Amino acid sequence: EVQLLESGGGLIQPGGSLRLSCAASGFSLSADHMSWVRQAPGKGLEWISIIYSGGGTQYADSVKGRFTISKDNSKSMLFLQMNSLRAEDTAVYYCARGILTYFFDDWGQGTSVTVSS
Amino acid sequence: DIQMTQSPSSVSASVGDRVTITCRASQGLKTWLAWYQQKPGKGPKLLIYATSNLQKGVPSRFSGSGYGTDFTLTISSLQPEDSATYYCQQAIDFPRTFGQGTTVEIK
């Protein structure tokens, strides 16, 4: 059974940094593609980054240059390093697995990030 | 970026009713569209991929159709457990984008 468990969220001041983690089980990170998708309070879903099975990455313009996606295949861990955080980054952050690059087959339960002074 | 527009924003229907949600894309998607269901406090769940393919384990009362810019999600006989918010997502280009969501409420 595929399981995704996010952690690392919390309250952080504007301009600060945070590192989110996603523990994956039931599949291999080296075989599938992983994304981060966020959801601001009361809002819809926003895709922010993907890391391909081979390690290539892409980002949404809203986070490009500030966020970095990475993974440790041997530990089945996905990460999102978030720097220069802004109030508009406040959201629940989900990790999501895609067997192909097109759709998001499995999702975690999310971790909440609040950027506020 | 490709804009995805869903309608209606919310719908209230009775158990057993047929419910239809539409999604319109600002550019042609061919069949690169998915539908997700999200319940409060949970991550989304993939229902349909590539316009009309039912994800494993999803009840057959859910179906999808469309091509290009206009797509439809249909719940043939609404059940109490279908109360949720539904999102469409385009998969033809990056950034992947989602519709704003349609909330389905049971009367």
Side-chain angles (χ1 to χ4, degrees):
Chain A
E1 179 192 5
V2 171
Q3 289 194 335
L4 299 168
L5 186 62
E6 303 93 337
S7 60
L11 174 64
I12 187 77
Q13 291 190 337
S17 298
L18 208 57
R19 189 195 198 202
L20 305 183
S21 300
C22 172
S25 60
F27 68 100
S28 172
L29 281 189
S30 62
D32 293 337
H33 315 291
M34 297 297 295
S35 285
W36 288 97
V37 178
R38 68 185 180 184
Q39 186 169 35
K43 302 297 185 181
L45 301 165
E46 180 190 14
W47 171 87
I48 57 173
S49 185
I50 186 170
I51 186 164
Y52 296 101
S53 58
T57 60
Q58 282 188 263
Y59 298 91
D61 287 346
S62 58
V63 305
K64 197 175 294 182
R66 300 188 299 124
F67 290 12
T68 302
I69 190 172
S70 63
K71 62 176 179 170
D72 185 332
N73 289 339
S74 64
K75 295 182 179 178
S76 294
M77 293 293 295
L78 175 73
F79 305 102
L80 186 68
Q81 178 66 43
M82 306 188 295
N83 298 331
S84 303
L85 282 161
R86 307 165 179 166
E88 54 265 35
D89 295 318
T90 294
V92 174
Y93 286 73
Y94 297 99
C95 63
R97 167 201 183 215
I99 298 173
L100 302 177
T101 65
Y102 306 107
F103 310 112
F104 308 110
D105 300 77
D106 299 284
W107 299 66
Q109 89 294 341
T111 187
S112 180
V113 173
T114 301
V115 184
S116 174
S117 54
Chain B
D1 297 1
I2 297 175
Q3 306 302 315
M4 306 298 293
T5 304
Q6 289 181 230
S7 62
S9 297
S10 64
V11 57
S12 181
S14 300
V15 172
D17 283 353
R18 182 182 187 90
V19 172
T20 299
I21 300 168
T22 63
C23 178
R24 176 162 289 177
S26 62
Q27 299 174 35
L29 307 181
K30 299 183 182 179
T31 58
W32 293 111
L33 183 107
W35 290 95
Y36 300 85
Q37 176 192 66
Q38 186 180 31
K39 296 185 177 180
K42 302 288 188 182
K45 172 187 175 183
L46 177 64
L47 296 177
I48 290 172
Y49 63 95
T51 296
S52 58
N53 295 274
L54 206 62
Q55 179 72 337
K56 197 176 297 184
V58 174
S60 59
R61 64 181 178 271
F62 291 93
S63 64
S65 63
Y67 185 88
T69 60
D70 295 299
F71 300 87
T72 300
L73 172 69
T74 299
I75 309 172
S76 61
S77 178
L78 191 67
Q79 298 302 304
E81 60 267 31
D82 300 335
S83 177
T85 300
Y86 295 82
Y87 295 92
C88 60
Q89 173 239 323
Q90 63 82 12
I92 201 170
D93 198 11
F94 282 99
R96 300 292 189 238
T97 48
F98 296 82
Q100 81 279 13
T102 296
T103 300
V104 174
E105 174 193 277
I106 309 296
K107 279 183 186 173

